[in-house]
Amino acid sequence: CYRKGKTPRRPALKKTNNVEKDPVGVYCRIRPLGAEDEECCVEMISSSTIQLHAPDGLKANRNGEYKETQYSFTKVFGINTGQMELFEDVARPLVEDLIQCKNGLLFTYGVTGSGKTYTMTGSPGEGGLLPRSLDMLFNSIGPFQAKRFVFKPDDKNGIDIQSQVDALLERQKRDSQQSVPKTPSSRQKADLEFADMITPEESRKSKNIDEDCSYSVFVSYVEIYNNYIYDLLEDAQFDSVRPKPPQSRILREDQNHNMYVAGCTEVEVKSTEEAFEVFWKGQKKRRIANTQLNRESSRSHSVFTVKLAQAPLDADGDYILQDKNQVNVSQLCLVDLAGSERTSRTRAEGSRLREAGNINQSLMTLRTCMEILRENQMCGTNKMVPYRDSKVTHLFKNYFDGEGKVKMIVCVNPKADDYEETVLVMRFAEMTQEVEVARPVDRPIYHLAAGRRHRNQAFKDELSRRLEERGGPVNGGDSALMNQLIESLPALPPCELVDPTDDQTLPRLIEVLEQRHRIRQMMTEQVTHTANKVKFMLQQFDSQMSSKDTFVHDQQSKLNEKEKVILNQKTEIERLEKKSKTLEYKIDILQKTTEMYEQDKRSLQQELEGQEQMLQKELSERRRMEQRMQGVVTDTKLKWEKECERRVNAKQLEMQNKLWVKDEKLKQLKAIVTENSSGGSFPPEPPKKPERPSRERDHTMPQKRSASPTALPVSDFILKNHHNHSDHYCTSTPSTSSPYPSVASCISEWEQKFPIDSGSQSRLHGTPQNQNRTPAPGYSTNSVDRRRGQRWAPDTEAPTNDLDRNTVPPVRPTHRRSRSAGGEKWVDHKPASNLELDTVMQPIIPNAIKVSTPNEKALSKCHKYVLRHQELASDGEIETKLIKGDVFKTRGGGQAVQFTDIETLKQECPTAPRYNISLKYPGLIMLLRVFCSVSLQMYFGVLFMINKIEDSI
Ligand code: ADP
Ligand code: MG
């Protein structure tokens, strides 16, 4: 069940996604401008880019709308590019691939006259890609070629292998059939020879040749014209009298789904010259047919196929392995496509036009196929590629569907006439570059030791050297052994016949000879047996070797896979490393930013703490200050109180003493006078108490008044005393007529009756003091009184309502001002230290004389006196007290004020925090200010009073 020799293609690959693909290599070759052409429309701007310029004529026609366009290629070859350079870049890799069992397709594309044929075939001295490829191939495989007919094409696109003997027989048969022996000398000199095409120094050779293989080259040459395929190497006799149209060929698909021209002649060639000769023969035939059949050669595609068959040598390296499975076939197709110009340009008519249309159609199909292929590959679609629509595309279907290397050389003639066609060519070329073709896989490794051919050759050489040394054939060396063997045989009896009737000698001889024959047979059998044994051993050894080779091969492929994995992982690692580096960098930046922020935060926190500490310090400072101030205030107040008391007491004592001294003196004087006048019958009168001011209902409270143990006061000085602070304000006009009671006594008396408490600060009406106080009989405590909260002086009559009743001043009624004379007149004493408060309730007193310091003049004009006194309440708010009093005329002709009432105006904040620093601060200032004014006033008031008292005394 041997398969046929491998067909040019490998079995169609299972279309998997991981098949490696290469794009179609598209090269551009610009030919030099012809002598008759002037305008150049193509410019090479880089090694891979050209620029098209619209010719002047065209620009004028189209109103200059044509722009310069650029096209890029795998590589661009300018006008100075030689054939060799082109070959090195484009065709040489394909020949290498061919030797490595890989298929290749190279075609030239362009308008007629653009240099396709020049590029592919070349001209004498400037051989094109085809002769150069053949040359390189034969240079490489030359010494390793198999004998003719060892490889034999079957008619199904495969290659059979046959033994050397069969090949020899076939050779002989063919030679005998050949009517005219073909020798170079017989060739007509008119034919182009390969030697004309390239010089020996331009020869190239592949270094990757497998020397343990045998090679054979087969060439075929077909022309596709009008969508018909013609075999150019067909050995048909051309009848010049009645020319028959050449038989067209059909395309078939082989068992590996590769397309081939059925029945196409494949000529085995053994040298470049021979191959080129075959090519030239086909070329000649093509020319003749074109002339005969009136065809236009530029309208046909020519396909020259170089097929390389290779098979490994056997283990000895002597003969080709007779295993068709091991035959590898690869092929390189060199295609010179028809001119790509449109039909109209050729001005063809009739059948020529139709034919031209067909040719054009085949190139159209090629373009369509490429477009759909590209679309399928790029968009992942699965559109059917219309290969079958033309013979050219159908023939090369497997290059695009299967695997192989495809290259295209786009030939450009830069002349202006070709411009429009060239633009179309460029578009096709650009599009083709995007088509990808599966990369051919590497050829399998044979499971035979490498270097077999070499070893065999060396062995043969050594053998022949030895033979030469011994001067005889190889068997001669073994003559001694042969002699020994012969000697070991039974000796021949004497075989001389002397008697015709001797019937013993011959039978004996026969017997001996038969014996010898038997021995010989036995020995032969033994030798054969041994040989077989050795052979068997060798085979075993060979199979072992091959299995080891297989194992090695397997391991190798595994290793390759692993290497691939490692490579992938390496790239992955590199990628990850890069990523991690960028991430690290980012982290670094973020950390730095965080540090910066933290530093900011720390400094801000420090600042905050500092400020908080400062605040705390300030607060505690303020508290301390407050306390100190409070302490100072209390101290000063107490000091002053004590001082006042002390002085008052001292003064009082002094006054009393003086008074009593005076009284005593008076008494004594009186006694003397009385004694003198009446004989001293009158007991001395007690000193007359000064008359106290009486009121209308004064008599109702005699007890109260008599409670005073000391002299009667001339006027009431009501000193409002407060725990914290108070206005000690007394005003008095100078009085010299009557002695004054001591102020201290007045105060003490007052205090005894009305113990001072904080309640006195509050509104007086409704307070316990007010309620407990027994009002004068017959004097109802009506609502008005209560509202006014009047406080009566203990030793004066209860003053009546200012409106209803006349107050009784502590002076004689004759001194009293008539109420009806002009209503009440007020002295509104507002010390300059008072603050203007923005309160709604403001004391408005009509007809008031406003003063800022006690004014005697003003007092003399008024009945009522009001002092606006501001102080700081315990909650920090300023409290305004209106201390009201009545003005009396003193006996001495001055004025005295009896304080009768206190009205308190106070503002409170409903939500004010008690320890509001900002509020406390102004409060403290206020406190200090009030304290200062109070203490000064008190001081001066007391001084003033003392002076007055002193004066009066
Ligand atoms: P095509 O096959 O495309 O119709 P040809 O190969 O026949 O064109 O070229 C037309 C002419 O131009 C030939 O005479 C050829 O020698 C010449 N020619 C083409 N390309 C070049 C080139 N690169 N250098 C010199 N001559 C060229
Ligand atoms: Mg041509």
Side-chain angles (χ1 to χ4, degrees):
C1 57
Y2 279 133
R3 273 198 298 155
K4 287 278 181 185
K6 284 260 176 85
T7 50
R9 299 292 143 70
R10 289 165 197 292
L13 283 179
K14 277 182 190 127
K15 278 171 194 162
T16 47
N17 288 334
N18 55 4
V19 168
E20 283 188 273
K21 288 192 164 188
D22 294 314
V24 172
V26 179
Y27 302 83
C28 176
R29 184 182 206 186
I30 309 167
R31 59 156 283 184
L33 211 57
E36 68 281 7
D37 301 307
E38 283 173 357
E39 199 181 348
C40 178
C41 298
V42 182
E43 189 193 345
M44 178 181 167
I45 57 172
S46 82
S47 64
S48 62
T49 314
I50 62 159
Q51 185 162 298
L52 294 194
H53 308 272
D56 292 339
L58 203 66
K59 265 188 207 157
N61 286 345
R62 310 257 174 144
N63 300 328
E65 70 184 50
Y66 268 76
K67 285 184 188 156
E68 290 166 349
T69 41
Q70 292 188 352
Y71 298 93
S72 292
F73 302 91
T74 309
K75 192 165 180 181
V76 175
F77 299 96
I79 51 169
N80 297 321
T81 311
Q83 301 281 57
M84 194 64 212
E85 191 187 334
L86 190 75
F87 170 77
E88 287 286 338
D89 277 333
V90 185
R92 189 178 174 153
L94 291 176
V95 179
E96 290 278 6
D97 278 357
L98 179 70
I99 294 168
Q100 301 297 321
C101 298
K102 293 171 187 174
N103 298 321
L105 169 65
L106 172 65
F107 56 96
T108 52
Y109 185 91
V111 283
T112 302
S114 59
K116 298 184 297 295
T117 309
Y118 177 81
T119 299
M120 197 54 91
T121 312
S123 55
E126 289 170 339
L129 302 179
L130 189 144
R132 284 173 199 277
S133 300
L134 287 173
D135 183 50
M136 179 174 163
L137 178 64
F138 281 108
N139 281 339
S140 308
I141 62 165
F144 314 118
Q145 290 191 72
K147 292 262 160 45
R148 216 181 280 268
F149 303 125
V150 169
F151 291 103
K152 198 179 157 203
D154 60 11
D155 53 356
K156 295 183 187 80
N157 204 30
I159 286 190
D160 283 338
I161 195 162
Q162 62 182 355
S163 70
Q164 300 248 30
V165 181
D166 291 342
L168 182 72
L169 284 174
E170 193 160 343
R171 269 203 303 279
Q172 286 171 352
K173 204 170 91 187
R174 292 270 175 120
D175 282 347
S176 64
Q177 279 175 356
Q178 210 102 46
S179 52
V180 185
K182 233 187 170 188
T183 53
S185 60
S186 72
R187 207 190 296 147
Q188 287 174 2
K189 277 287 155 202
D191 279 4
L192 203 63
E193 279 188 54
F194 172 74
D196 301 332
M197 301 301 274
I198 60 173
T199 54
E201 56 267 24
E202 285 179 336
S203 286
R204 291 291 176 269
K205 191 176 170 182
S206 171
K207 291 190 180 79
N208 301 317
I209 195 87
D210 183 355
E211 295 183 0
D212 290 322
C213 279
S214 260
Y215 301 86
S216 258
V217 178
F218 298 86
V219 292
S220 58
Y221 195 20
V222 296
E223 179 181 38
I224 303 173
Y225 185 88
N226 195 16
N227 215 20
Y228 287 108
I229 302 172
Y230 301 103
D231 183 358
L232 292 176
L233 304 181
E234 201 177 15
D235 250 344
Q237 288 298 318
F238 192 76
D239 189 349
S240 56
V241 184
R242 293 175 63 193
K244 278 191 288 178
Q247 198 65 45
S248 73
R249 306 281 168 162
I250 56 160
L251 287 177
R252 283 228 179 99
E253 193 174 335
D254 68 13
Q255 56 180 5
N256 296 321
H257 310 290
N258 296 310
M259 299 311 297
Y260 69 99
V261 182
C264 178
T265 315
E266 287 178 301
V267 183
E268 187 174 13
V269 284
K270 292 289 160 201
S271 69
T272 319
E273 289 77 15
E274 197 187 341
F276 192 70
E277 203 186 306
V278 171
F279 165 73
W280 205 245
K281 194 181 123 199
Q283 193 77 331
K284 236 169 44 182
K285 193 167 178 184
R286 183 184 176 198
R287 252 200 317 272
I288 294 166
N290 285 341
T291 322
Q292 296 265 330
L293 301 169
N294 197 17
R295 295 198 305 214
E296 200 185 325
S297 66
S298 72
R299 288 278 154 207
S300 68
H301 316 283
S302 71
V303 182
F304 186 78
T305 308
V306 184
K307 202 183 256 188
L308 178 69
Q310 48 186 299
L313 292 179
D314 61 11
D316 289 342
D318 203 1
Y319 299 106
I320 296 167
L321 211 62
Q322 294 291 303
D323 180 357
K324 284 168 194 120
N325 254 342
Q326 299 286 0
V327 178
N328 268 301
V329 181
S330 50
Q331 71 177 26
L332 173 63
C333 287
L334 302 170
V335 186
D336 187 357
L337 286 176
S340 67
E341 64 274 3
R342 286 164 292 186
T343 319
S344 60
R345 201 173 151 223
T346 61
R347 285 177 228 95
E349 288 168 2
S351 67
R352 289 283 290 271
L353 182 65
R354 201 175 57 246
E355 288 166 9
N358 265 334
I359 291 149
N360 212 36
Q361 188 60 44
S362 67
L363 287 179
M364 268 286 265
T365 309
L366 180 64
R367 280 196 283 267
T368 313
C369 286
M370 291 294 154
E371 270 168 29
I372 293 175
L373 260 175
R374 184 184 63 151
E375 195 185 322
N376 282 348
Q377 287 172 359
M378 289 184 133
C379 311
T381 50
N382 201 14
K383 278 192 191 172
M384 203 200 60
V385 186
Y387 295 114
R388 284 167 188 273
D389 287 4
S390 91
K391 290 281 189 289
V392 176
T393 52
H394 199 189
L395 182 59
F396 300 121
K397 166 178 165 285
N398 207 261
Y399 278 98
F400 298 103
D401 263 1
E403 51 164 291
K405 195 133 206 147
V406 183
K407 289 189 178 186
M408 176 168 87
I409 299 173
V410 178
C411 296
V412 184
N413 189 345
K415 67 176 180 178
D417 293 351
D418 278 1
Y419 176 76
E420 281 186 89
E421 296 296 341
T422 305
V423 171
L424 296 178
V425 170
M426 290 300 145
R427 286 192 194 144
F428 169 65
E430 279 222 311
M431 189 262 295
T432 307
Q433 287 188 83
E434 290 171 0
V435 174
E436 290 189 323
V437 175
R439 188 183 295 176
V441 292
D442 287 324
R443 72 162 153 196
I445 297 167
Y446 303 115
H447 306 152
L448 291 170
R452 303 185 296 279
R453 182 194 292 274
H454 186 72
R455 279 200 302 277
N456 184 266
Q457 194 59 48
F459 170 73
K460 278 183 180 164
D461 289 351
E462 179 66 20
L463 202 66
S464 52
R465 193 183 57 79
R466 282 197 191 177
L467 278 175
E468 263 174 38
E469 271 177 12
R470 296 183 185 204
V474 66
N475 291 348
D478 299 331
S479 53
L481 189 72
M482 288 295 280
N483 286 343
Q484 256 186 351
L485 276 171
I486 289 165
E487 274 167 21
S488 68
L489 294 173
L492 286 176
C495 49
E496 217 174 291
L497 283 175
V498 282
D499 189 1
T501 56
D502 185 3
D503 53 352
Q504 281 182 352
T505 313
L506 275 177
R508 212 182 297 137
L509 190 65
I510 287 166
E511 197 184 327
V512 170
L513 282 174
E514 275 176 350
Q515 217 174 338
R516 276 193 168 201
H517 182 69
R518 271 202 301 278
I519 291 170
R520 194 183 161 222
Q521 265 186 338
M522 266 166 62
M523 278 163 76
T524 313
E525 270 171 24
Q526 210 172 344
V527 165
T528 316
H529 181 71
T530 315
N532 281 343
K533 235 163 94 178
V534 168
K535 214 172 173 180
F536 177 71
M537 273 162 68
L538 276 173
Q539 271 173 355
Q540 260 189 339
F541 181 70
D542 221 34
S543 66
Q544 268 176 15
M545 280 292 281
S546 69
S547 72
K548 281 206 176 124
D549 272 351
T550 320
F551 179 72
V552 167
H553 177 64
D554 281 357
Q555 293 297 320
Q556 195 77 36
S557 59
K558 272 182 194 167
L559 208 68
N560 284 346
E561 270 170 29
K562 288 264 156 70
E563 263 173 10
K564 264 184 200 165
V565 170
I566 286 168
L567 210 72
N568 283 347
Q569 283 179 349
K570 262 188 193 164
T571 50
E572 180 66 14
I573 284 168
E574 267 171 26
R575 197 181 63 78
L576 286 173
E577 269 177 2
K578 263 187 202 165
K579 208 172 155 185
S580 85
K581 261 185 198 162
T582 50
L583 282 177
E584 269 172 15
Y585 178 68
K586 274 184 190 169
I587 285 169
D588 222 40
I589 286 173
L590 282 176
Q591 269 177 348
K592 273 178 191 164
T593 318
T594 314
E595 269 171 28
M596 261 161 56
Y597 277 126
E598 268 177 4
Q599 259 182 359
D600 272 11
K601 195 182 138 195
R602 271 201 296 276
S603 63
L604 284 174
Q605 262 178 351
Q606 274 178 358
E607 213 175 293
L608 198 73
E609 272 168 21
Q611 284 190 350
E612 261 175 17
Q613 274 176 359
M614 256 167 61
L615 214 65
Q616 283 287 330
K617 232 163 72 183
E618 233 171 70
L619 198 68
S620 59
E621 191 78 11
R622 270 180 205 167
R623 277 200 194 128
R624 242 193 0 257
M625 183 87 156
E626 211 178 323
Q627 276 173 2
R628 217 170 61 206
M629 284 303 152
Q630 272 181 1
V632 168
V633 167
T634 320
D635 282 359
T636 321
K637 196 189 83 189
L638 282 172
K639 217 168 83 188
W640 278 107
E641 266 174 16
K642 272 181 191 161
E643 183 67 17
C644 279
E645 214 169 330
R646 192 182 60 78
R647 286 191 191 180
V648 166
N649 282 341
K651 245 340 173 213
Q652 199 180 9
L653 206 67
E654 200 187 312
M655 290 297 132
Q656 266 182 348
N657 288 342
K658 277 186 183 174
L659 200 65
W660 284 113
V661 168
K662 275 186 184 173
D663 269 357
E664 209 55 45
K665 277 183 187 169
L666 210 66
K667 245 190 251 173
Q668 284 173 8
L669 207 67
K670 216 174 178 179
I672 294 164
V673 170
T674 320
E675 231 172 85
N676 291 344
S677 63
S678 61
S681 59
F682 288 95
E685 270 184 30
K688 195 184 171 189
K689 285 183 185 174
E691 206 177 311
R692 63 170 175 83
S694 68
R695 294 202 175 193
E696 280 164 88
R697 282 171 180 82
D698 195 20
H699 62 275
T700 56
M701 301 183 73
Q703 304 93 325
K704 275 189 183 172
R705 262 178 279 134
S706 63
S708 171
T710 56
L712 285 171
V714 175
S715 73
D716 283 332
F717 284 88
I718 295 153
L719 299 171
K720 271 285 287 143
N721 214 343
H722 194 269
H723 279 300
N724 298 322
H725 50 267
S726 67
D727 263 0
H728 292 242
Y729 193 80
C730 300
T731 173
S732 170
T733 52
S735 167
T736 50
S737 59
S738 64
Y740 275 84
S742 76
V743 177
S745 65
C746 288
I747 290 167
S748 61
E749 195 180 8
W750 176 265
E751 281 177 352
Q752 271 170 12
K753 287 193 176 172
F754 302 99
I756 290 148
D757 63 357
S758 59
S760 62
Q761 261 185 299
S762 61
R763 292 179 190 285
L764 292 172
H765 62 264
T767 57
Q769 289 92 336
N770 206 20
Q771 281 170 351
N772 291 346
R773 192 178 57 84
T774 317
Y779 179 79
S780 65
T781 54
N782 62 29
S783 61
V784 177
D785 293 332
R786 289 174 76 85
R787 192 185 63 241
R788 288 169 64 87
Q790 281 175 323
R791 177 171 281 183
W792 308 112
D795 48 358
T796 56
E797 282 179 1
T800 56
N801 188 306
D802 287 342
L803 297 170
D804 300 337
R805 305 159 192 272
N806 286 328
T807 49
V808 183
V811 289
R812 281 189 302 268
T814 50
H815 288 282
R816 279 203 292 145
R817 193 180 286 264
S818 167
R819 302 234 76 188
S820 56
E824 282 183 330
K825 221 159 175 200
W826 288 80
V827 173
D828 186 357
H829 180 198
K830 191 175 176 192
S833 61
N834 268 23
L835 292 174
E836 280 304 331
L837 294 178
D838 208 11
T839 52
V840 176
M841 306 288 271
Q842 293 281 350
I844 298 167
I845 309 159
N847 296 327
I849 298 172
K850 286 194 171 142
V851 292
S852 59
T853 49
N855 191 326
E856 204 182 316
K857 234 180 177 177
L859 264 182
S860 66
K861 288 178 192 166
C862 298
H863 308 110
K864 290 277 185 180
Y865 173 83
V866 62
L867 170 68
R868 295 184 189 214
H869 165 61
Q870 281 183 340
E871 63 184 3
L872 200 71
S874 57
D875 56 2
E877 292 292 338
I878 293 175
E879 200 173 76
T880 307
K881 284 185 178 168
L882 302 176
I883 304 165
K884 290 182 271 182
D886 295 335
V887 179
F888 297 100
K889 300 276 182 221
T890 57
R891 253 183 257 168
Q895 281 86 32
V897 177
Q898 184 188 15
F899 289 108
T900 55
D901 189 9
I902 298 175
E903 233 173 83
T904 308
L905 300 171
K906 194 183 164 194
Q907 224 176 340
E908 263 178 51
C909 177
T911 55
R914 288 263 150 170
Y915 301 103
N916 194 323
I917 297 158
S918 60
L919 279 174
K920 279 207 164 186
Y921 192 63
L924 191 66
I925 300 279
M926 180 54 65
L927 180 77
L928 281 169
R929 267 161 78 174
V930 169
F931 169 72
C932 289
S933 79
V934 164
S935 36
L936 276 175
Q937 281 180 19
M938 197 169 74
Y939 179 66
F940 287 119
V942 169
L943 272 187
F944 182 68
M945 191 182 71
I946 289 164
N947 284 341
K948 289 291 168 208
I949 291 167
E950 261 179 341
D951 284 352
S952 69
I953 290 166

